């Protein structure tokens, strides 16, 4: 006997299952929830998502999501536009802004180089970064994750920039604050030792 | 320094975070994915969900989700309409239909009694079940989950139905097929023993 699923439940499940990290079981649970929501709430949900998607654009300077031509960070004259912090994704910009302490500007790559996944320099916003360097830029900080892809991307971009005579730096490796030395992995510990500072 | 989040990302994140089981971190990840989807796909996503919600109704017989007045199972004359299998949710109907072997009809309660959560008989579709029993019904099978709420609901409904002279049964407890006896919990093992059958 074939499985019986009411059509509306099936339709919503299928859409939810297209999202990353949502399997058929979660999709069914979400669909059930949505069909039980008041219709007006579902209308707001659907409308907000579509309107946000329609309104979103990439900041023509830093490539971060924005609803303006130039995002509010790039448009802020009080920030130091000579220092560019290069990150993988918009959430990394949020992380730096939450942490505080950086008053330069950003560049969002929207991905990392990954030969294994077929992601090449043309697939991420490297060309847009290079185009920003013709002006008065003193330093580019490579702030990609300390992973293989993050390192590959940082060193690739670094090799492109150095010939321009612009300083390129990398976030420090070391022990995370509040962590215990005994739980640190070998690479982290080695780097923390190599990069030790005078007291 | 306040956290910086592009407005479109924030708008979509907020909507996604309203769904059950989706925290702020997952919501952000889903929002990022959605803002990177082609606009036409997002339009289909939003439209499908809203249209499904608009189209969905409760089968006026069994209360399952359907886009018709009476669902295709209740509308099927080859099924045994004298036997009603009472379940908590639409997914339970799918489970029975997938398993096969039942040719009666269903009744979907859309919830279980739970005094702790303030869910009373008026909050689930018990009244609609009772209204179906005026006709020619031979048996009502209580197929709620073997949990405290499932048992409470089954015995509550059973007490309502028995005075009508209609047979009320309960799904058997026992060892799940393919399982190992040593891993069965005590209650399951005790019930399996009590309900042992002749060979």
């Amino acid at each position: 006997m074939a499985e019986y699923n009411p059509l509306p439940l099936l339709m919503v499940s299928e859409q939810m299952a297209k999202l990353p990290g949502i399997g058929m079981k979660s999709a069914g649970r979400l669909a059930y929830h949505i069909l039980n929501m008041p219709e007006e709430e579902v209308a707001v949900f659907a409308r907000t998502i579509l309107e946000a998607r329609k309104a979103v654009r990439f900041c023509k300077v830093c490539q971060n999501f924005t609803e303006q031509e130039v995002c509010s960070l790039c448009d802020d004259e009080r920030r130091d536009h000579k220092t560019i912090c290069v990150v993988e994704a918009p959430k990394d910009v949020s992380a730096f802004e939450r942490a505080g302490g950086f008053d330069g500007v950003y560049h969002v790559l929207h991905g990392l180089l990954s030969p294994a996944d077929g992601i090449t320099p043309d697939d991420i916003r490297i060309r847009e970064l290079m185009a920003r360097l013709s002006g008065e830029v003193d330093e580019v900080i490579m702030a990609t994750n300390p992973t293989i892809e993050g390192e590959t991307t940082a060193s690739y971009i670094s090799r492109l920039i150095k010939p321009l005579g612009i300083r390129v730096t990398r976030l420090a490796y070391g022990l995370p604050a509040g962590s215990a030395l005994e739980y640190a992995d070998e690479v982290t510990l080695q780097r923390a030792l190599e990069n030790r500072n005078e007291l």
Side-chain angles (χ1 to χ4, degrees), chain A:
Chain A
M1 200 179 287
E3 181 166 1
Y4 174 79
N5 264 314
L7 186 60
L9 201 58
L10 209 59
M11 285 164 64
V12 180
S13 294
E14 270 176 10
Q15 291 300 323
M16 299 310 292
K18 285 181 182 172
L19 300 178
I22 298 196
M24 277 314 294
K25 206 152 189 169
S26 301
R29 195 168 41 83
L30 293 174
Y32 181 71
H33 178 85
I34 287 171
L35 292 181
N36 270 314
M37 277 163 63
E39 186 178 317
E40 184 45 43
E41 270 182 40
V42 178
V44 169
F45 179 87
R47 194 168 56 224
T48 304
I49 287 172
L50 183 55
E51 281 178 6
R53 175 60 188 83
K54 280 185 176 169
V56 81
R57 48 168 92 185
F58 296 108
C59 167
K60 75 172 187 178
V61 181
C62 77
Q63 307 298 317
N64 197 358
F65 286 139
T66 176
E67 75 284 10
Q68 300 146 320
E69 194 171 359
V70 173
C71 80
S72 59
L73 296 180
C74 288
D75 202 35
D76 187 345
E77 295 193 354
R78 290 164 304 179
R79 298 190 75 106
D80 167 16
H81 290 254
K82 296 185 175 184
T83 306
I84 300 178
C85 178
V86 179
V87 297
E88 174 186 353
K91 65 177 185 299
D92 302 319
V93 174
S94 304
F96 273 109
E97 290 298 299
R98 195 166 48 231
F102 177 69
D103 75 340
V105 290
Y106 297 92
H107 189 85
V108 181
L109 295 171
H110 290 281
L112 293 174
L113 296 178
S114 174
D117 299 324
I119 299 174
T120 71
D122 283 342
D123 297 319
I124 62 178
R125 312 292 169 104
I126 293 178
R127 194 178 305 117
E128 292 81 354
L129 172 63
M130 298 312 291
R132 295 174 69 178
L133 303 182
S134 50
E136 304 171 333
V137 173
D138 291 339
E139 180 181 355
V140 174
I141 304 171
M142 295 307 308
T144 50
N145 286 330
T147 58
I148 292 178
E149 289 81 9
E151 290 303 328
T152 305
T153 308
S155 68
Y156 178 87
I157 293 176
S158 162
R159 282 196 305 271
L160 291 180
I161 297 177
K162 276 185 182 163
L164 305 176
I166 294 172
R167 187 177 172 215
V168 187
T169 57
R170 178 90 179 99
L171 287 186
Y173 272 98
L175 296 170
S179 68
L181 202 137
E182 60 177 321
Y183 298 127
D185 66 279
E186 292 171 24
V187 177
T188 301
L189 214 50
Q190 285 165 14
R191 301 284 180 103
L193 196 59
E194 284 167 21
N195 301 328
R196 63 189 182 279
N197 299 304
E198 296 294 336
L199 283 179

